[in-house]
Amino acid sequence: MKIGILGGGGVAQTLAGKLMALGHDVVIGLRAVTPEDLAKPRQMAVPLQDWMKASGGKVVTLAAAAAHGEVLINAMTGQGSIPGLQAAGAAQLDGKVLIDVANPLDFSQGMPPFLMAEYAGPTSLAEQIQAAFPTARVVKAFNTIAAAVMVDPGLVKGPHDLFIAGNDAAAKAQVSAIARSFGWEHIVDLGDIVGARGTEALLPIWVRLWTTSGSAMHNMHVARG
Amino acid sequence: MKIGILGGGGVAQTLAGKLMALGHDVVIGLRAVTPEDLAKPRQMAVPLQDWMKASGGKVVTLAAAAAHGEVLINAMTGQGSIPGLQAAGAAQLDGKVLIDVANPLDFSQGMPPFLMAEYAGPTSLAEQIQAAFPTARVVKAFNTIAAAVMVDPGLVKGPHDLFIAGNDAAAKAQVSAIARSFGWEHIVDLGDIVGARGTEALLPIWVRLWTTSGSAMHNMHVARG
């Protein structure tokens, strides 16, 4: 499948590597693709010029990545997501599955980050993306775990859950199929895109479990009666 | 043990009933104890006059309940917590373990509720309670599950976790002992009171799991690598 990943940090590189290994035709999209952009350090990851050499992966503009993908992944920052999708171009998103992996975290006061005020009340980043691009088929997914766990759930022991939310059942089925190809066995469908409020708000406890245990290799499992 | 429960809704009545069954000397505290207060409907619970008849429990003022308890439980609403604790009186809280079960939920826009803006950023209700009453030994606990599950964790199958956070290790040990007396086997210590940001922010997904499944009998378990 042709997949366009928007964003070039650790989440983007990790998802791109796994999807390429599974045989998909993947490109990473950046706002600008200058030698400086390719050389600069990336959040939780190597410079993209090094990633390209090591993986054979391609880096193009956001618009080119969005045009390339039948399925798109938003792996930009919370702050950068809507501007980046606007730069990619609404027409390039039309009718496509857009997996929103981003978290609306405010790091302005250092650690721990907290939810950006504009997405912490009766809305969420994913809902605002869906509202800004109404013909995209937004599915919130993969935002509640470390990048390594997204593509290798076996790094966490025992049953644990991938949470998804979105308005389009067929889009959620396609995202679930991708998740199963990564090894996910337990997928919890939180209903329409409003469910993203729940998964985005998992970040404060995710960060806290990380800082108190020293390990990012953890995830939640919903136990039921 | 002498326990004062501040608040008279379903959480207060459920905790009071279990603690009384375990042999503790429990009172419920209300802002005012008039015949009207005792007769009015309570959130997720019966009027307190009915609860008193059925359980033999006592209802007194917030100040009297706080004076009575060696251990106090804040089971008031998020909005009512700090005003209610002020009404109970700072002197009555001095040096005591104060278990904060409250959630800062804003229901002003109906369902689903969201975190009150003043507690959704780089703080939490429990931190603000600790700041307002610095000599109280605040432990955030029991706020991430339905009242019935708080006192009977066996209502949810498989391992699942009680999250606690607080600045005082001895206070957390005392709360953990109470939790174990309710049947809790898995207690996750999230460190100092800042950890309450994580557990208060679990409410959006808790509510979502409830509305999408139709059952409140669920809880999270942290799976680790």
Side-chain angles (χ1 to χ4, degrees):
Chain A
M1 191 190 304
K2 290 184 172 188
I3 299 177
I5 300 181
L6 311 180
V11 167
Q13 292 181 22
T14 301
L15 287 168
K18 181 67 177 184
L19 289 163
M20 288 161 64
L22 290 171
H24 297 289
D25 177 4
V26 181
V27 299
I28 275 181
L30 290 189
R31 190 172 282 264
V33 192
T34 65
E36 292 72 33
D37 287 301
L38 297 177
K40 80 171 189 183
R42 294 279 158 187
Q43 193 188 21
M44 308 283 286
V46 299
L48 283 164
Q49 63 188 16
D50 301 343
W51 177 78
M52 291 164 76
K53 264 184 223 156
S55 69
K58 278 168 266 177
V59 178
V60 299
T61 64
L62 287 172
H68 169 86
E70 301 160 83
V71 166
L72 305 180
I73 299 177
N74 172 31
M76 298 182 281
T77 63
Q79 286 85 348
S81 290
I82 289 178
L85 291 165
Q86 285 165 336
Q92 314 289 4
L93 311 183
D94 183 39
K96 293 182 181 172
V97 173
L98 172 59
I99 307 175
D100 178 30
V101 182
N103 279 305
L105 295 178
D106 184 333
F107 286 89
S108 66
Q109 297 186 35
M111 285 290 286
F114 49 94
L115 293 184
M116 294 166 65
E118 56 263 56
Y119 304 123
T123 188
S124 59
L125 175 60
E127 285 168 88
Q128 293 303 307
I129 290 173
Q130 184 65 81
F133 303 97
T135 63
R137 301 155 70 205
V138 180
V139 178
K140 191 85 196 188
F142 296 110
N143 69 303
T144 63
I145 49 241
V149 179
M150 291 179 194
V151 301
D152 187 0
L155 292 173
V156 172
K157 293 188 183 79
H160 60 104
D161 302 345
L162 183 72
F163 297 103
I164 65 171
N167 297 341
D168 184 312
K172 286 194 284 193
Q174 196 165 357
V175 174
S176 297
I178 292 170
R180 282 192 294 271
S181 77
F182 293 171
W184 284 95
E185 294 175 5
H186 301 273
I187 299 173
V188 175
D189 185 342
L190 290 171
D192 70 13
I193 197 67
V194 175
R197 294 181 200 178
T199 65
E200 293 179 11
L202 277 175
L203 267 287
I205 196 165
W206 186 91
V207 170
R208 189 73 178 179
L209 287 163
W210 172 40
T211 56
T212 55
S213 75
S215 168
M217 297 300 109
H218 58 76
N219 187 25
M220 292 292 186
H221 174 58
V222 180
R224 302 189 189 258
Chain B
M1 191 189 305
K2 291 183 171 188
I3 298 176
I5 299 181
L6 311 180
V11 168
Q13 292 181 22
T14 301
L15 287 169
K18 179 68 177 182
L19 289 163
M20 288 161 64
L22 290 170
H24 297 290
D25 177 5
V26 181
V27 300
I28 275 181
L30 291 187
R31 191 172 284 264
V33 191
T34 64
E36 292 72 31
D37 286 300
L38 297 178
K40 80 170 188 183
R42 295 278 159 188
Q43 193 188 19
M44 307 283 286
V46 299
L48 282 163
Q49 63 187 18
D50 300 342
W51 176 79
M52 291 165 76
K53 264 185 223 155
S55 69
K58 280 169 266 177
V59 178
V60 299
T61 64
L62 287 173
H68 170 85
E70 302 160 82
V71 166
L72 306 179
I73 299 177
N74 172 30
M76 298 183 282
T77 63
Q79 285 87 347
S81 289
I82 289 178
L85 290 165
Q86 285 164 337
Q92 314 289 3
L93 311 183
D94 183 39
K96 293 183 180 171
V97 174
L98 173 59
I99 307 175
D100 177 31
V101 183
N103 279 304
L105 295 178
D106 183 332
F107 286 90
S108 66
Q109 297 185 34
M111 284 291 287
F114 50 93
L115 292 185
M116 293 166 66
E118 56 265 56
Y119 303 122
T123 190
S124 60
L125 175 61
E127 285 169 88
Q128 293 303 306
I129 290 173
Q130 184 64 82
F133 304 96
T135 64
R137 301 155 69 204
V138 180
V139 178
K140 191 85 197 187
F142 297 109
N143 68 302
T144 62
I145 49 238
V149 179
M150 290 179 195
V151 301
D152 187 359
L155 292 173
V156 171
K157 294 190 182 78
H160 61 102
D161 303 344
L162 183 71
F163 298 102
I164 65 171
N167 297 341
D168 185 311
K172 285 193 283 192
Q174 197 166 357
V175 175
S176 297
I178 293 170
R180 282 192 294 270
S181 78
F182 293 171
W184 284 95
E185 294 175 5
H186 300 274
I187 299 173
V188 175
D189 186 343
L190 290 171
D192 70 13
I193 197 67
V194 175
R197 294 180 199 179
T199 65
E200 293 179 11
L202 276 176
L203 266 288
I205 196 165
W206 186 90
V207 171
R208 189 71 179 181
L209 286 164
W210 172 40
T211 55
T212 55
S213 76
S215 169
M217 298 299 110
H218 58 76
N219 187 23
M220 291 292 185
H221 174 58
V222 180
R224 301 193 190 255

